[in-house]
Amino acid sequence: VQLQASGGGLVQTGGSLRLSCAASGRTFRTLVMGWFRQAPGKQRAFVADISKSGSTTGYADSVKGRFTISRDNTKDTVYLQMNSLKPEDTAVYYCAADPYTVRSASDYWGQGTLVTVSS
């Protein structure tokens, strides 16, 4: 499975961005999808995940109410809508995929897209 993340950039505090991750190489609907992030000097951390059908989502406490994960199984793409961004959201964001769960060791990772939130 190849994952291509895009949509990162520079945004001011309070602004919004939408990240996308396009998958190829395996039937998309057989994969649980997720987003992780790695801030400078910190370990990679879970942000959000979504079930194969899209009916179930999960979020880290730090982003609940501000970020929304979604997927389009007709376009083999998962999205992360990020609203009310804060400087502490600054990180490289990675999409992940796995046939069972992304919360342990995911089988597949994208290359990352940088999000910078200025204060």
Side-chain angles (χ1 to χ4, degrees):
V1 175
Q2 292 76 48
L3 302 175
Q4 182 70 41
S6 61
L10 174 65
V11 63
Q12 291 185 333
T13 297
S16 298
L17 279 176
R18 188 175 83 153
L19 305 183
S20 300
C21 177
S24 62
R26 179 171 174 151
T27 304
F28 185 68
R29 65 179 182 272
T30 68
L31 297 167
V32 176
M33 300 297 297
W35 289 95
F36 290 72
R37 66 187 181 186
Q38 187 167 18
K42 296 187 177 181
Q43 291 187 329
R44 188 155 54 187
F46 169 78
V47 174
D49 61 1
I50 187 166
S51 62
K52 298 173 186 180
S53 67
S55 60
T56 303
T57 58
Y59 299 92
D61 288 344
S62 59
V63 306
K64 278 182 183 176
R66 300 188 298 123
F67 290 11
T68 303
I69 188 171
S70 62
R71 66 190 294 161
D72 186 337
N73 285 354
T74 67
K75 295 182 179 179
D76 294 353
T77 302
V78 63
Y79 305 97
L80 185 69
Q81 178 66 44
M82 306 185 294
N83 298 329
S84 302
L85 283 161
K86 305 174 182 180
E88 51 263 44
D89 295 318
T90 294
V92 177
Y93 283 72
Y94 298 89
C95 58
D98 193 274
Y100 303 105
T101 178
V102 296
R103 299 198 187 198
S104 55
S106 298
D107 278 356
Y108 310 105
W109 291 91
Q111 85 288 3
T113 185
L114 177 63
V115 172
T116 304
V117 184
S118 63
S119 56

